[in-house]
């Protein structure tokens, strides 16, 4: 039985590290990043998406193979392109610009789902982006959630709000509905604030617990995280790092948390582990290249203790 499978859109990244600098090619896509992080940390991770039958689609397939992520069930489309995005950096942090309209991943539907693989995997992971890219993709994620729960598996969800992809009212409706069927909720604070109207991390944790999640971790970036269950909660303090690019930090947190949660069953220890991993992932440019290995995280945790 596999540990994790995620659904979403993977893309090629062009990252400009400073104004006027050349763009450096990398890879991104929130749920893909999370599965690569998980694989680097020791999980048996799989990914489901669609890519174009183009150079970028081949590059992504090669990436998953190198990283040990099972992408054997992805759809390769001859009639659609692989998504692309740009990252620029400034005083207010990183800014994303996308070229993804009509991408292969946005054309995924329920009939494309790897039903048997979902049934055989302990945790299904999806995000708001997985559903924002198209109505058919949104429906496919809901169908995948039903399949996972029908097989007695867990569902993890990161709202990962992108208002360039859909209006807030629709995002709220779809994401809240998905969260009602989520066992492990992994919201970032800014996203959750926009979606819920709440400004207190504990109130946000309560909101998602009341929707039905067993575990909620509110990611606070450089301020750490709040991990909560119906019985207990803990504030996790971030470890100081020399951050240069936080592009994939939240995705790294997701993959690290899920990996450690499957290993220990302890949401609070898992959140502490993920908090360290996410911090380490900000010390290099790009979403994938700086994702840490388990030895890196364990060494950092030992140094911080």
């Amino acid at each position: 039985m596999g540990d994790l499978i995620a659904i979403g859109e993977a893309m090629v990244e062009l990252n400009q590290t400073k104004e006027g600098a050349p763009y450096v090619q990398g890879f991104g896509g929130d749920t893909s990043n999370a599965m690569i992080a998980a694989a680097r940390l020791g999980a048996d991770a799989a990914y489901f998406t669609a890519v174009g039958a183009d150079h970028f689609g081949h590059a992504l397939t090669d990436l998953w193979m190198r990283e040990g992520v099972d992408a054997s069930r992805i759809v390769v489309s001859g009639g659609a392109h692989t998504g692309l995005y740009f990252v620029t950096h400034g005083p207010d942090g990183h800014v994303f610009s996308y070229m993804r309209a009509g991408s292969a991943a946005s054309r995924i539907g329920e009939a494309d789902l790897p039903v048997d693989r979902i049934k055989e995997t302990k945790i299904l992971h999806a995000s708001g982006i997985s559903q924002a890219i198209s109505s058919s993709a949104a429906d496919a994620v809901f169908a995948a959630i039903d399949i996972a729960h029908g097989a007695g598996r867990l569902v993890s969800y990161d709202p990962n709000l992108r208002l360039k992809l859909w209006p807030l009212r629709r995002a709220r409706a779809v994401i809240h509905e998905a969260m009602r069927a989520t066992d492990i909720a992994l919201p970032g604070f800014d996203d959750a604030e926009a979606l819920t109207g709440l400004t207190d991390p504990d109130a946000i944790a309560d909101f998602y617990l009341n929707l039905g999640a067993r575990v909620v971790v509110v990611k606070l970036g450089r301020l750490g995280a709040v991990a909560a269950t119906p019985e207990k909660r803990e504030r996790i303090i971030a470890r100081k790092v020399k951050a240069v690019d936080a592009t994939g930090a939240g995705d790294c947190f997701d993959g690290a948390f899920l990996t450690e949660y499957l290993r220990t069953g302890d949401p609070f220890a898992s959140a502490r582990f993920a908090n360290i991993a996410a911090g380490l992932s900000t010390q290099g440019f790009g979403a994938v290249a700086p994702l840490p290995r388990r030895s890196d995280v364990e060494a950092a945790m030992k140094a911080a203790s």
Side-chain angles (χ1 to χ4, degrees):
M1 181 182 294
D3 290 333
L4 301 167
I5 185 168
I7 296 177
E9 179 172 34
M11 308 175 75
V12 169
E13 173 190 273
L14 294 174
N15 199 317
Q16 187 182 48
T17 59
K18 62 182 179 179
E19 187 174 355
Y23 284 87
V24 178
Q25 182 182 315
F27 302 96
D30 61 338
T31 50
S32 173
N33 299 338
M35 292 304 97
I36 293 171
R40 288 190 181 185
L41 295 168
D44 175 11
Y47 195 59
F48 174 72
T49 188
V51 297
D54 50 35
H55 170 75
F56 293 139
H58 293 307
L60 282 164
T61 303
D62 290 343
L63 169 71
W64 293 317
M65 184 177 298
R66 290 196 306 273
E67 295 290 347
V69 175
D70 179 7
S72 61
R73 304 296 294 277
I74 66 169
V75 175
V76 179
S77 172
H81 64 88
T82 305
L84 180 70
Y85 74 99
F86 300 83
V87 186
T88 55
H89 301 268
D92 297 324
H94 54 275
V95 178
F96 296 91
S97 301
Y98 298 95
M99 294 181 64
R100 73 196 320 166
S103 69
S106 72
R107 303 186 185 195
I108 288 173
E110 295 181 41
D112 299 313
L113 292 172
V115 175
D116 56 339
R117 189 71 170 85
I118 295 169
K119 288 180 176 179
E120 295 167 359
T121 304
K122 295 172 185 175
I123 298 178
L124 167 72
H125 180 63
S127 78
I129 295 176
S130 306
Q131 297 193 283
I133 54 178
S134 70
S135 294
S136 65
D139 291 342
V141 170
F142 281 129
I145 290 171
D146 289 342
I147 292 164
H149 279 160
R153 310 306 178 203
L154 298 177
V155 172
S156 166
Y157 195 96
D158 182 340
N160 219 351
L161 180 65
R162 292 289 185 272
L163 292 178
K164 291 183 179 180
L165 291 175
W166 52 0
L168 182 56
R169 181 173 292 182
R170 174 167 168 76
R172 279 179 177 150
V174 173
I175 291 173
H176 286 354
E177 185 63 24
M179 282 295 208
R180 290 186 180 93
T182 293
D183 302 290
I184 301 168
L186 298 169
F189 176 78
D190 291 342
D191 297 338
E193 183 179 27
L195 289 164
T196 67
L198 300 170
T199 59
D200 177 66
D202 284 300
I204 290 169
D206 289 336
F207 179 89
Y208 289 116
L209 287 171
N210 289 335
L211 284 184
R214 303 182 190 182
V215 176
V216 178
V217 184
V218 183
K219 295 173 287 186
L220 304 174
R222 65 187 64 186
L223 297 179
V226 171
T229 67
E231 299 79 26
K232 180 183 175 183
R233 69 186 56 201
E234 180 178 324
R235 180 68 177 261
I236 291 110
I237 305 301
R239 173 178 175 265
K240 290 184 179 181
V241 296
K242 293 181 179 179
V244 298
D245 183 4
T247 299
D251 310 331
C252 178
F253 191 108
D254 293 352
F257 178 89
L258 296 173
T259 298
E260 197 67 2
Y261 186 69
L262 283 171
R263 193 177 77 90
T264 68
D266 183 339
F268 305 101
S270 300
R272 292 190 291 271
F273 179 89
N275 190 51
I276 294 289
L280 293 175
S281 77
T282 69
Q283 296 184 123
F285 285 101
V288 171
L291 293 172
R293 307 282 177 178
R294 177 168 286 276
S295 58
D296 302 323
V297 180
E298 291 177 344
M301 292 184 76
K302 184 176 180 180
S305 62

